[in-house]
Amino acid sequence: DTAVSQTPKYLVTQMGNDKSIKCEQNLGHDTMYWYKQDSKKFLKIMFSYNNKELIINETVPNRFSPKSPDKAHLNLHINSLELGDSAVYFCASSQVGGMNTEAFFGQGTRLTVV
Amino acid sequence: GENVEQHPSTLSVQEGDSAVIKCTYSDSASNYFPWYKQELGKRPQLIIDIRSNVGEKKDQRIAVTLNKTAKHFSLHITETQPEDSAVYFCAASPYSSASKIIFGSGTRLSIRP
């Protein structure tokens, strides 16, 4: 059973398009995240949601809009894609509630904007 | 907010030797310090973690140390093996009801045969 799954695994699209990445976790965690990993491998937090509520938005352009329909899902929609958006996007989840614990990552979505 | 610095960015060691990766953090409220290993083309996975009430933790060939006063923590890998080659990330997370995990910039570890 996959703990954190995200789709698609690969996404190639043209500049200016709008695309979405979906993420689901079956671990019962209350917190979900989106991270961006650029070509230099740096893992940068983009958003953090706790029980469907946005907690952290780390100066991400408003072309990026996360949506959490329930605490098991956190989707990422990107409008007007730019070349600089090319990266691997990782979804992750963890259980916070008083004691921080391990974050589990999805397999990543490699986004290529051409 | 929290800032995590990690050194070195690349590290090459002879198989069987030890490897040490060091990190510093800025937020004194951070109380959880995980280390992740990311193999080529794969997702980051937790290999060991330490909490602020502990100074050292060991799991077979891997150990972490934490100095809260100096705000730094380190990963030690002994008797390195080819399968240890990967990118390693340290991270820090402050205690709160809704957390964020801030990662260091990563260390690419290569094990020479």
Side-chain angles (χ1 to χ4, degrees):
Chain A
D1 284 345
T2 304
V4 182
S5 61
Q6 53 182 108
T7 55
K9 190 172 180 181
Y10 300 98
L11 187 51
V12 181
T13 188
Q14 290 187 325
M15 272 174 38
N17 284 350
D18 304 338
K19 291 293 178 186
S20 293
I21 307 172
K22 295 186 177 181
C23 180
E24 176 181 4
Q25 55 99 0
N26 62 4
L27 297 166
H29 287 164
D30 59 6
T31 303
M32 295 185 72
Y33 313 82
W34 278 108
Y35 284 87
K36 179 180 180 181
Q37 186 170 47
D38 59 24
S39 57
K40 294 184 179 178
K41 301 299 183 186
F42 187 55
L43 269 170
K44 183 173 171 57
I45 189 166
M46 300 173 68
F47 301 102
S48 170
Y49 268 73
N50 180 264
N51 283 317
K52 303 191 301 175
E53 290 192 20
L54 178 66
I55 301 299
I56 292 162
N57 178 342
E58 288 287 322
T59 60
V60 177
N62 58 14
R63 297 183 295 103
F64 290 79
S65 52
K67 281 191 172 47
S68 183
D70 55 61
K71 75 174 195 176
H73 295 83
L74 180 61
N75 303 322
L76 183 65
H77 188 76
I78 316 170
N79 289 328
S80 304
L81 278 155
E82 300 177 356
L83 292 176
D85 297 332
S86 296
V88 180
Y89 291 84
F90 283 99
C91 174
S93 73
S94 70
Q95 183 66 28
V96 177
M99 180 70 77
N100 299 339
T101 59
E102 175 183 359
F104 289 81
F105 283 81
Q107 76 271 31
T109 295
R110 182 175 294 277
L111 172 65
T112 304
V113 182
V114 298
Chain B
E2 177 63 275
N3 182 45
V4 178
E5 295 194 357
Q6 181 172 348
H7 301 281
S9 57
T10 59
L11 180 59
S12 177
V13 301
Q14 192 75 33
E15 183 178 349
D17 288 350
S18 296
V20 179
I21 302 171
K22 298 183 179 183
C23 291
T24 60
Y25 63 99
S26 60
D27 189 346
S28 56
S30 288
N31 69 335
Y32 176 62
F33 306 92
W35 286 87
Y36 284 78
K37 176 183 180 182
Q38 186 178 24
E39 295 177 354
L40 188 63
K42 297 193 175 178
R43 73 191 79 191
Q45 291 192 292
L46 182 78
I47 54 172
I48 195 166
D49 56 15
I50 191 167
R51 299 185 189 280
S52 58
N53 58 347
V54 175
E56 185 174 353
K57 184 176 177 180
K58 191 172 180 181
D59 182 4
Q60 298 183 339
R61 297 186 296 110
I62 296 173
V64 290
T65 58
L66 171 64
N67 183 327
K68 281 182 61 180
T69 305
K71 293 198 187 74
H72 65 70
F73 56 116
S74 301
L75 175 73
H76 303 251
I77 306 174
T78 58
E79 300 173 21
T80 52
Q81 299 170 5
E83 55 265 35
D84 294 331
S85 293
V87 179
Y88 291 81
F89 293 94
C90 63
S93 184
Y95 177 89
S96 69
S97 60
S99 181
K100 64 178 177 180
I101 303 172
I102 303 301
F103 286 84
S105 52
T107 296
R108 186 178 297 278
L109 175 63
S110 302
I111 307 301
R112 303 191 304 271

